Amino acid sequence: VLLTGAAADTARQAGAAGTNPGIPNGKILPGDGGVNVGHEWHIEEVEFADIAIEICDGTVSYIDDLGYEDYVSQHGDRFCPWSADLVDLIEG
């Protein structure tokens, strides 16, 4: 996920503290966005939340198996994987 602005700052602070920034909640869009290589979708406008509604929860493999169009038609245009963990930060 490409993080910018406040979301990038939140992730940097959490990474430095060895904590998780929260649940990423972003708008799911078609195409890999240049960062989600190997997938037909990506997320933008990411914010981190402490809680999120169940309808936007899921996994990468769930979206890949269902397909971008079907995911959006069934779950809306947000993706908020509750089980997401910050594993690495790559500064560009």
Side-chain angles (χ1 to χ4, degrees):
V1 174
L2 177 63
L3 300 174
T4 59
D9 294 339
T10 299
R12 277 189 212 96
Q13 291 169 357
T19 62
N20 212 27
I23 300 168
N25 183 343
K27 184 172 185 173
I28 186 168
L29 297 167
D32 67 20
V35 295
N36 203 19
V37 178
H39 305 279
E40 64 176 45
W41 58 274
H42 68 288
I43 59 174
E44 292 183 1
E45 302 172 19
V46 175
E47 299 173 332
F48 289 101
D50 294 326
I51 59 173
I53 61 173
E54 186 176 358
I55 191 132
C56 66
D57 183 26
T59 62
V60 170
S61 60
Y62 176 73
I63 297 171
D64 287 344
D65 290 345
L66 193 59
Y68 167 79
E69 294 291 335
D70 286 339
Y71 177 87
V72 171
S73 70
Q74 293 177 29
H75 301 281
D77 67 352
R78 305 295 292 183
F79 178 50
C80 60
W82 293 356
S83 62
D85 287 319
L86 177 63
V87 294
D88 197 4
L89 291 170
I90 301 170
E91 298 286 341

